[in-house]
Amino acid sequence: MSQLQSLRGMVDLLPQALERWQAVEAVAREQFRRSGFGEIRTPLLETTDLFCRGIGEGTDVVGKEMYSFTDRGERSCTLRPEGTASVVRAALQHGLLSQGAQKLWYAGPMFRYERPQAGRQRQFHQIGVEWLGAESARSDVEVIALAWDLLASLGVGGLELELNSLGSADDRQAYRKALVDWLEQRLEQLDEDSRARLTSNPLRILDSKNKDTQALLEQAPTLADALSPESRLRFEAVRQGLTALGIPYRLNPRLVRGLDYYSHTAFEITSDQLGAQATVCGGGRYDGLIAQLGGAATPAVGWALGMERLLLVLEAAAMAAPNGAAARLVGSSVPDAYVVNRGDQAETMALTLARALRAAGLTVELDGSGSAFAKQFKRADRCGARWALVLGDDEADRAEVRLKPLLGQGEEVSWAVAEIAAIVDVLRTP
Ligand code: ATP
Ligand code: MG
């Protein structure tokens, strides 16, 4: 029979990788807690309508990337391609916004039918924050700082914050007209996708990954020129806020983001380590979305970062600086002790001892092979533990365990297996 394979673009996460994931998630979780963001978990499956209304029909995500199907009850369902629409749906459904502004974060898998490549999968994972009810320019700054500080505390270097303002809906309407007028005079220079967007969703053209179109757009009118005085002031306040916090940024007038619901501040954090899939984190303000999904008009701001891309950047950072924060984070953990054991009575005692030490908070690797001592010691050495706890027939007869240092420091000692506190003491002594 042929070997079964996972679907294309769907990736298994194995224990070694997951250790890194959990380390990253722990840092993120702690930072969100300190910043007053509470976790929210929403279903992976939603009505297709949520994303059509929330993300916009003219976007790549809705137009060609969604995993949609009809369920047994004839409902059109979609595996969520992103988190924001679901979070807003949940906040509205549970009346959270009537209790005031909501600072929420989420983490989990998202699904997009894209061409898989490094940093691009069909099931991928995001960590994101949504601050619903946040109106001020300062909230944009705080949310961007949250992403920036999270990445910094993970030890990721070589990052660049790109910033733009998409202005208000009116500003964008004016700009859309200017852009379409300009592009219509240069139709023959546009790629096919972009030509189709000229009528459906012209701002998306700015997001084109086609090199010739990108070059053409260098000359095109920019959104910045179309901003109203109020939008301009607001953007100025965001920029001043970032400068006051010492967060460097680069203005990118062509940054529009892939989803339709953004307004005013839009940003991306990119890494020079990622090649074509350079964006680690993207976000911005989405003042129109909540009303679009049936709530009262409520301003909001948020971002999402891609876990797979973040891990790629972290691994590169760990290689570049073997003693840095990233290296500590991606390094695999080493048990406090490795239990070498052989013989009926010794094996029972070893399991009892391992349980007691784990209950005391130590990380204990118990060799379960019953193989020769030499083999077990080899594995003990390989795992990097500082101590081997040795239980053979002789030790079992005396109800003792031998504590043997593996890294050349410390004295070998024996303790009664019941003396858990004393054993913990030895293992914990640096
Ligand atoms: P891109 O332009 O790379 O397709 P996007 O604008 O579609 O990105 P967002 O919807 O803003 O991406 O999602 C936020 C982040 O999620 C991205 O910056 C990226 O890190 C990650 N991401 C998006 N799509 C994928 C994917 N298919 N595989 C892995 N990560 C992804
Ligand atoms: Mg995309």
Side-chain angles (χ1 to χ4, degrees):
M1 217 166 27
S2 66
Q3 185 71 49
L4 291 172
Q5 300 280 330
S6 62
L7 288 165
R8 188 165 139 78
M10 308 272 173
V11 176
D12 295 310
L13 289 168
L14 304 179
Q16 216 186 351
L18 276 171
E19 247 184 71
R20 303 171 174 193
W21 279 59
Q22 285 173 357
V24 170
E25 285 166 1
V27 173
R29 182 171 291 122
E30 177 59 16
Q31 177 146 1
F32 295 147
R33 194 186 62 76
R34 290 184 199 171
S35 307
F37 282 72
E39 187 181 1
I40 183 164
R41 299 188 191 188
T42 62
L44 301 193
L45 205 55
E46 298 270 4
T47 62
T48 301
D49 191 40
L50 171 64
F51 303 115
C52 293
R53 277 167 64 187
I55 301 175
E57 305 268 5
T59 61
D60 276 356
V61 171
V62 172
K64 47 188 185 198
E65 295 175 358
M66 293 210 299
Y67 276 90
S68 300
F69 63 94
T70 309
D71 75 3
R72 289 167 195 278
E74 301 297 319
R75 284 169 290 254
S76 178
C77 305
T78 295
L79 282 167
R80 65 181 187 193
E82 56 103 52
T84 306
S86 303
V87 168
V88 168
R89 196 261 318 128
L92 292 175
Q93 186 171 335
H94 301 286
L96 298 186
L97 293 173
S98 62
Q99 301 158 34
Q102 295 289 317
K103 293 163 105 174
L104 303 166
W105 70 270
Y106 61 85
M110 307 294 164
F111 303 84
R112 296 184 193 176
Y113 197 86
E114 299 194 73
R115 192 168 70 79
Q117 50 200 295
R120 192 175 295 285
Q121 300 174 184
R122 289 182 174 174
Q123 175 174 333
F124 62 101
H125 297 75
Q126 288 183 336
I127 295 184
V129 303
E130 314 293 353
W131 188 351
L132 312 180
E135 176 146 44
S136 65
R138 200 172 56 161
S139 58
D140 302 21
V141 174
E142 187 178 343
V143 156
I144 294 173
L146 187 61
W148 189 258
D149 294 344
L150 173 58
L151 293 167
S153 68
L154 292 169
V156 184
L159 295 177
E160 186 163 61
L161 169 63
E162 296 185 22
L163 193 67
N164 193 19
S165 172
L166 307 182
S168 65
D170 286 345
D171 299 341
R172 280 196 303 287
Q173 185 117 35
Y175 174 62
R176 192 172 299 131
K177 190 172 173 331
L179 181 67
V180 169
D181 287 349
W182 193 86
L183 287 173
E184 269 175 347
Q185 290 160 34
R186 294 161 181 83
L187 265 188
E188 72 291 347
Q189 297 176 58
L190 271 185
D191 66 279
E192 206 175 313
D193 267 358
S194 298
R195 242 178 271 169
R197 284 177 173 144
L198 207 51
T199 41
S200 65
N201 197 343
L203 290 198
R204 280 282 76 74
I205 297 173
L206 299 185
D207 207 26
S208 168
K209 300 206 161 78
N210 181 294
K211 287 272 174 293
D212 296 333
T213 301
Q214 279 176 359
L216 175 66
L217 289 167
E218 295 285 333
Q219 320 298 325
T222 68
L223 249 166
D225 301 326
L227 293 186
S228 67
E230 298 79 52
S231 298
R232 231 172 264 245
L233 272 178
R234 192 179 193 293
F235 192 33
E236 187 56 36
V238 172
R239 292 163 56 180
Q240 278 171 5
L242 289 170
T243 302
L245 296 186
I247 299 179
Y249 62 84
R250 185 170 73 81
L251 291 180
N252 176 356
R254 267 168 290 282
L255 178 77
V256 286
R257 316 268 311 112
L259 317 177
D260 264 356
Y261 49 57
Y262 287 102
S263 54
H264 295 293
T265 308
F267 73 95
E268 289 189 353
I269 299 175
T270 58
S271 162
D272 52 14
Q273 303 288 323
L274 283 175
Q277 272 63 246
T279 306
V280 181
C281 177
R285 176 158 284 283
Y286 48 97
D287 291 347
L289 178 65
I290 297 173
Q292 205 169 307
L293 292 178
T298 309
V301 61
W303 50 255
L305 69 76
M307 275 297 276
E308 283 80 5
R309 292 187 199 175
L310 174 57
L311 267 295
L312 289 173
V313 179
L314 268 175
E315 280 153 26
M319 295 268 269
N323 297 315
R328 276 197 300 282
L329 208 72
V330 304
S332 53
S333 67
V334 169
D336 297 306
Y338 190 97
V339 186
V340 170
N341 61 118
R342 185 171 157 86
D344 285 347
Q345 215 191 336
E347 285 169 19
T348 307
M349 238 176 235
L351 178 52
T352 308
L353 177 63
R355 290 180 73 211
L357 294 174
R358 289 169 185 161
L362 293 171
T363 311
V364 178
E365 186 70 42
L366 176 63
D367 194 301
S369 68
S371 52
F373 278 114
K375 277 195 173 161
Q376 296 197 35
F377 272 112
K378 210 174 256 175
R379 281 195 286 269
D381 282 328
R382 217 180 306 136
C383 86
R386 267 201 315 141
W387 292 95
L389 307 183
V390 188
L391 278 151
D393 290 336
D394 290 350
E395 286 83 8
D397 283 344
R398 294 196 301 272
E400 278 185 3
V401 55
R402 207 146 50 83
L403 283 66
K404 185 173 157 28
L406 293 175
L407 304 181
Q409 310 146 313
E411 295 283 307
E412 179 167 316
V413 286
S414 287
W415 278 100
V417 286
E419 295 281 357
I420 297 300
I423 298 170
V424 168
D425 218 41
V426 175
L427 298 182
R428 283 238 166 95
T429 303

